[in-house]
Amino acid sequence: LSFTFDGQYGGLLWSGTHQRASWAGTTKNTLPGRDEGTIIGKGVKLDNGKYVPNDVPINTESYYTLYNNGAIDGSVFNDTFLKFREISLSYTFSKKLIRKLKMQDLSITLFGRDLAVFSNYPMFDPEGGTKNGAGNVFVRGAEIASMPLTASYGATLNIGF
């Protein structure tokens, strides 16, 4: 039996996927104000020469569209993660059986890869990145529409004659 875990501690990742989903109103952070139709944004306003807490309601759709279409700070996340990359279980058949079958070696391995991700990252893969447009260079720290990793499973049969 063997297994592999790896991960990263710290770092920041901007998620274009989260920003776009927030702009469209499909993430949890866009729930406040959705039923009411208005929201009072966090912040302050200038009132008679003094800054006071904001109390001006704005249309919810307009608020999230404006906020998530320009500001990126709401889509920057801690990039700490732990991944269960691989597990494999191997069995080597007995020498007696191998000789009986006129072989030198006989073993089988079952494996699984990309089995789990442990992270507070709200989108698919905290190990995301993107390519710059011109040079196809992978850029860490910015994720744009990455797809989730799919787990894969398989078996290896090793036969030696």
Side-chain angles (χ1 to χ4, degrees):
L1 175 70
S2 67
F3 53 88
T4 305
F5 284 88
D6 68 33
Q8 173 177 302
Y9 181 76
L12 297 174
L13 177 64
W14 170 74
S15 173
T17 307
H18 184 271
Q19 185 173 6
R20 181 68 180 164
S22 295
W23 175 81
T26 58
T27 54
K28 286 182 183 179
N29 65 310
T30 62
L31 287 174
R34 189 178 292 175
D35 290 337
E36 299 82 8
T38 61
I39 188 169
I40 298 173
K42 294 179 182 176
V44 295
K45 68 176 185 175
L46 187 58
D47 187 20
N48 294 324
K50 292 173 51 178
Y51 288 101
V52 297
N54 180 40
D55 63 357
V56 179
I58 184 173
N59 173 278
T60 306
E61 184 178 354
S62 297
Y63 173 79
Y64 287 121
T65 298
L66 292 170
Y67 179 76
N68 292 301
N69 200 24
I72 64 167
D73 59 332
S75 294
V76 175
F77 302 97
N78 182 316
D79 199 17
T80 299
F81 63 87
L82 178 67
K83 288 189 173 187
F84 188 7
R85 291 277 187 197
E86 183 172 3
I87 188 166
S88 64
L89 178 63
S90 296
Y91 179 76
T92 301
F93 291 88
S94 71
K95 292 291 183 189
K96 183 178 176 183
L97 175 64
I98 293 170
R99 283 192 296 273
K100 192 176 190 180
L101 296 172
K102 299 187 186 332
M103 297 177 188
Q104 298 290 325
D105 288 311
L106 180 60
S107 65
I108 187 167
T109 301
L110 304 174
F111 65 86
R113 294 190 179 113
D114 295 320
L115 301 173
V117 178
F118 305 97
S119 170
N120 290 326
Y121 185 67
M123 302 314 284
F124 304 121
D125 188 356
E127 198 173 25
T130 191
K131 289 186 176 182
N132 71 357
N136 285 329
V137 175
F138 187 75
V139 179
R140 292 272 307 145
E143 167 271 308
I144 301 173
S146 68
M147 298 304 290
L149 290 175
T150 55
S152 60
Y153 305 92
T156 302
L157 181 62
N158 182 29
I159 302 172
F161 291 98

